[in-house]
Amino acid sequence: MTQQPTDGPTGTPISTRRTGFGPAPDVAAVRGRDGIMQVPTPFGPSAWLLTRHADVRRMLGDADAFRNGWGPEDLGGQRRDPRQLSGDRSGNLLALDPPDHTRLRRMLTPEFTVRRMRRLEPRIVEIVEQHLDALEEHGPPVDLVAHYALPIPSLVICELLGVPAEDQAEFQERTNRQLDTTAPEDEKVELSRQSLAYMAGLVDRARQQPGDDLIGMLIREHDEALTNAELVGIANLLLVAGHETTSNMLGLGTLALLRHPEQLRLVRDDPDAVPGAVEELLRWLSVLNSGSPRMATRDVEFEGSTIRRGDLVSFNLPAANRDPRLLDDPDRLDVTRSASPHVGFGHGIHHCIGAPLARMEMRIAFPALLRRFPDLHLAIPHEDVDFATYQAIYGVKELPIAW
C-alpha cells in the first residue's frame, strides 16, 4: 500500500481535502480504488484512511476494536496531542471511551431528545425572525455568514448553556481560530487555555446559582457524579460543536440551494420537503470532514489490508457519504431522495448528541430565509465564493447575498 504526501495542492492533509461541495478528487480516487490507504498525520505516525461508507460505519460502530481515548503516550512519547482543541480530555465525549463516555452521555442524552428540543422551537423561531428582520433592515448586499448563519446557532447554544449574550462575539472569534488547521500550534494551545478558562468561570457561577440551562441542570441533578473538570469539558465541547457545525451547514447549504434553484424552490414552497432536504444537504455537504483518529486495539482486516493493533485509523466523511455503494448517483443533490443512513453526524456511540437540535435549527432557518427573500441570489459571481478550505469544519468564509 503506497503512502501519499501530507500536503496536496490545497496544502491540507488528504484525509480532510475538499473541492467545492464534495471531497477532493484524490480522496474520491482512494474510495474508487482500494477504499483504504496509509497517509501521513501531523502528529507523527501514519494512519489508515477509510473512505467507503460501509467501512467508516463499521469502524465508528466498533468502539471495542477502535479506541478513541488515546494520547501522546500511546505514540511512543510524541509531544503533540491531536485533540488540542479539547485540551484536558475530562468531559470531552469525543475523546473518551466507555465506561467514562457511557456515564457522561447517559447524563446528557435526556436533554437532547427530540421532545426536549421542541421546547426550544419557539425561541429558535424568534431568533431566526429577529435575524431576518436585521437582514432586511441592513439591506443588500449583506454577508449571510456574519449576519445569519453564524449568530443564530451561536445564540441558541449560548442560551442552552447559560452563556451571557454579550460574550457571543468573543467566543465566536476564538472558536473560529481554534478550528483553523493552519494556526500555529502555540496559538492553538493558548486559545484552548482561554476557552477552558472561560468555561471554568461559567461553571463556577452556575455552581453558586444553578439556572434553568444545561449546566445548571447537570449541577442540580448530577452534582456529586461530576467533577468541575468534567463540567468544563462538557460545556466547552458543546459550545464549539454546537454552533460551528450548524452555522457552516446554514452558509454552505444556502449556497448549494442557490446553485440548484429547482431544489431551492422545493425547500421554500413545500414544508413537507424540508426534513428530507435537510438530510440530503447533511449527506451531500458533510461539513465535518473527519474526526479524531482511532487507535486499533487488535488486528482488523479492511478491504484486504490488515490494520494492526496500535495503528491509527482516520476516515473521510464526505467521501463516505458520496459512496456509490450507498446510493445511486451520489454526487447529485436531490432533496426528494429517500433518506440514506449518512454519517454526517458520525455513527455509533459517538454519534452527535446534538443532532436533534441541529436538525431543528436547519428545518427552521432554511425555509424561513428563502420565504422572506424569494428572490435571494448571490451578490458576487459563483466562482468568487471563498470556501473555508483550512477549517476543521468545512464551509464558506463569506456569502454575500442580495434580493
Side-chain angles (χ1 to χ4, degrees):
M1 191 68 62
T2 58
Q3 193 175 76
Q4 297 295 307
T6 302
D7 295 321
T10 61
T12 56
I14 189 174
S15 58
T16 59
R17 206 170 294 162
R18 301 290 297 254
T19 299
F21 294 111
D26 47 0
V27 180
V30 175
R31 185 191 61 208
R33 292 195 304 268
D34 300 318
I36 181 173
M37 69 181 301
Q38 284 189 297
V39 296
T41 66
F43 39 89
S46 63
W48 292 96
L49 174 66
L50 302 179
T51 59
R52 291 179 179 170
H53 182 267
D55 293 342
V56 171
R57 274 180 62 96
R58 175 188 166 194
M59 187 274 291
L60 293 178
D62 191 346
D64 291 330
F66 298 97
R67 177 184 170 201
N68 203 41
W70 58 273
E73 66 278 4
D74 299 301
L75 301 177
Q78 293 287 337
R79 183 185 67 83
R80 172 173 170 149
D81 184 346
R83 288 174 206 79
Q84 195 60 63
L85 288 179
S86 63
D88 186 348
R89 295 180 203 163
S90 298
N92 182 359
L93 295 178
L94 297 180
L96 296 175
D97 295 308
D100 286 336
H101 176 275
T102 308
R103 174 177 61 88
L104 294 177
R105 182 148 182 148
R106 188 177 292 126
M107 296 178 193
L108 284 169
T109 296
E111 291 302 307
F112 285 93
T113 61
V114 173
R115 181 174 61 85
R116 293 288 182 95
M117 288 300 102
R118 285 184 183 139
R119 297 184 309 184
L120 289 173
E121 185 171 2
R123 179 57 181 146
I124 296 174
V125 170
E126 183 180 9
I127 290 171
V128 167
E129 291 299 321
Q130 288 171 349
H131 285 79
L132 289 172
D133 291 343
L135 283 176
E136 198 162 15
E137 183 177 350
H138 183 286
V142 62
D143 177 16
L144 187 78
V145 172
H147 294 271
Y148 192 76
L150 263 176
I152 289 172
S154 297
L155 191 53
V156 170
I157 203 68
C158 269
E159 296 196 7
L160 185 68
L161 291 176
V163 176
E166 59 267 23
D167 294 346
Q168 179 183 356
E170 180 183 347
F171 83 71
Q172 267 186 8
E173 181 179 354
R174 183 166 55 235
T175 54
N176 185 63
R177 189 59 180 155
Q178 280 181 279
L179 293 167
D180 185 345
T181 58
T182 66
E185 183 69 13
D186 289 345
E187 182 181 352
K188 288 185 179 182
V189 171
E190 175 58 20
L191 289 167
S192 181
R193 186 199 64 77
Q194 292 176 10
S195 182
L196 292 171
Y198 175 83
M199 289 303 163
L202 187 72
V203 168
D204 286 342
R205 292 194 298 272
R207 281 203 179 277
Q208 295 171 19
Q209 190 174 359
D212 295 329
D213 52 81
L214 182 63
I215 301 302
M217 178 279 295
L218 288 172
I219 289 171
R220 285 195 307 274
E221 298 185 13
H222 305 285
D223 188 16
E224 295 182 359
L226 286 167
T227 66
N228 256 27
E230 286 176 329
L231 281 168
V232 168
I234 290 170
N236 193 52
L237 171 65
L238 293 178
L239 189 59
V240 174
H243 85 273
E244 283 291 336
T245 49
T246 307
S247 66
N248 280 277
M249 273 298 303
L250 290 177
L252 194 63
T254 299
L255 176 62
L257 292 172
L258 289 173
R259 296 290 296 269
H260 298 80
E262 73 288 352
Q263 311 281 303
L264 182 151
R265 286 191 289 271
L266 283 170
V267 176
R268 184 189 64 201
D269 300 335
D270 183 2
D272 292 336
V274 174
V278 167
E279 294 308 308
E280 174 70 348
L281 286 167
L282 284 164
R283 178 198 71 83
W284 198 70
L285 296 174
S286 302
V287 296
L288 185 63
N289 295 320
S290 185
S292 299
R294 279 27 174 197
M295 178 173 284
T297 62
R298 59 175 180 264
D299 292 359
V300 184
E301 291 287 329
F302 270 93
E303 305 289 352
S305 296
T306 301
I307 297 175
R308 300 291 183 186
R309 180 178 182 272
D311 284 356
L312 297 182
V313 184
S314 186
F315 51 97
N316 185 275
L317 296 178
N321 278 334
R322 292 192 180 206
D323 190 342
R325 300 161 189 79
L326 172 64
L327 72 174
D328 294 332
D329 200 5
D331 291 323
R332 178 172 57 89
L333 177 67
D334 181 2
V335 299
T336 66
R337 195 191 298 270
S338 297
S340 63
H342 66 77
V343 286
F345 285 120
H347 179 62
I349 66 170
H350 292 288
H351 181 271
C352 177
I353 196 170
L357 176 60
R359 285 185 167 107
M360 176 173 287
E361 291 179 87
M362 286 184 274
R363 288 172 182 175
I364 293 169
F366 277 129
L369 172 69
L370 301 177
R371 287 195 300 265
R372 177 70 71 95
F373 305 111
D375 296 322
L376 190 74
H377 58 273
L378 276 180
I380 59 173
H382 289 290
E383 57 269 21
D384 289 345
V385 173
D386 193 3
F387 290 90
T389 307
Y390 298 107
Q391 294 295 110
I393 300 174
Y394 192 62
V396 289
K397 294 180 181 179
E398 297 179 331
L399 194 66
I401 55 164
W403 52 87

